[in-house]
Amino acid sequence: MESEFEGFSSGSEILTKHADRWRKVSFGVPVFDRLTGGGIGARGIFELAGDPGSGKTQIALKLALTAQRTVPNSCVVYICTEHRFPSRRLLQMEAEYKRQQSADDAVRDHNFVDHILVEHVWCVPTLMACLFDRLPKLLESTKISVLIIDSIASPFVEERDYISRAETFRSIVHRLHQLQERHNFAICVTNQVRSVIDSSTLDDQRNVPALGLAWSTLVHTRLQLSRTTLSSNDRRCTVVFGPSAPPKHGFYQIDESGPVDTEALRVSMS
């Protein structure tokens, strides 16, 4: 699907003519919005990679709630690939979110959970069928603000033909870009990490996102999450790369409402 050439435009004209194309969907967590310049854009693949327990799913759930406020009258598509959808946790987060925003009638009266459309897939064929068949049909009748895949790595764990796997990555991302061009929604995927040893020293272990370079070259912006030694609940978020997100980091915790900005939390407690 090729875009029609609209003639040359200035930067300011593009922003006003195609506001939906360049909008960003807020995480609802100040630290993540600061790191990304306002949230997730409606173009490209945004990735949250991190250790187990670093809060990837928690951040995705919070995004699924706040995206409905950023983009009114929209739904969120949430594709689970490695665990059952955490419905009970989402209900807890929704209740806490409404409590925090109790002065806002639009938030208090909105049923967020009913606007999160969940699909479970367990292998590459079912993921492809979801993204190439069911998702396009849904988009013809339903406005969505964000597509979340949690996680992108899980369906490919057993894949050993790396050439075929790389072709599948390209096919998936190309199709998602086509759908973004037509329907203007953000895409957020979570990714696992694996430990690698520095070949030069043989003792410098570090965690890197799964799926290798074939996948990394297709990612628009990557944040890497990790637990810290500061306390049992402190997490660190680092911008690995992104065209509009300079390398920097911030800290967050997880509470009843989901991910919270550590700095904002300390201010509220003082």
Side-chain angles (χ1 to χ4, degrees), residues 126-162:
T126 56
L127 176 63
M128 298 289 280
C130 181
L131 296 179
F132 281 72
D133 182 28
R134 296 193 291 278
L135 178 61
K137 291 178 180 177
L138 174 69
L139 288 168
E140 292 301 326
S141 60
T142 305
K143 177 182 179 181
I144 76 166
S145 51
V146 181
L147 165 67
I148 297 170
I149 304 176
D150 184 19
S151 73
I152 191 63
S154 186
F156 295 94
V157 169
E158 302 300 326
E159 294 289 316
R160 292 295 178 263
D161 185 340
Y162 296 114

Side-chain angles (χ1 to χ4, degrees), residues 5-147:
F5 180 62
E6 301 171 347
F8 293 103
S9 302
S10 69
S12 59
E13 287 174 338
I14 289 174
L15 292 176
T16 55
K17 285 167 59 178
H18 305 289
D20 286 349
R21 184 182 299 177
W22 308 116
R23 72 178 170 217
K24 287 196 171 183
V25 178
S26 170
F27 283 96
V29 184
V31 62
F32 297 117
D33 286 348
R34 288 198 303 270
L35 292 175
T36 57
I40 301 178
R43 290 295 183 276
I45 309 297
F46 189 102
E47 182 187 88
L48 293 168
D51 307 332
S54 59
K56 299 185 296 294
T57 295
Q58 305 276 341
I59 297 168
L61 291 175
K62 187 64 172 285
L63 176 65
L65 293 173
T66 58
Q68 298 177 49
R69 190 179 184 191
T70 304
V71 184
N73 304 314
S74 69
C75 292
V76 172
V77 173
Y78 198 116
I79 300 175
C80 293
T81 68
E82 59 182 24
H83 50 67
R84 287 290 179 186
F85 183 75
S87 302
R88 183 175 299 178
R89 176 59 172 141
L90 177 63
L91 288 169
Q92 180 187 34
M93 290 174 61
E94 181 194 37
E96 184 63 20
Y97 183 59
K98 287 186 173 184
R99 186 190 69 78
Q100 293 176 356
Q101 306 290 331
S102 59
D104 189 329
D105 293 341
V107 172
R108 189 180 63 249
D109 298 335
H110 184 65
N111 192 332
F112 290 89
V113 173
D114 282 352
H115 291 81
I116 299 174
L117 310 177
V118 180
E119 179 77 79
H120 291 90
V121 302
W122 310 109
C123 61
V124 175
T126 56
L127 176 63
M128 298 289 280
C130 181
L131 296 179
F132 281 72
D133 182 28
R134 296 193 291 278
L135 178 61
K137 291 178 180 177
L138 174 69
L139 288 168
E140 292 301 326
S141 60
T142 305
K143 177 182 179 181
I144 76 166
S145 51
V146 181
L147 165 67

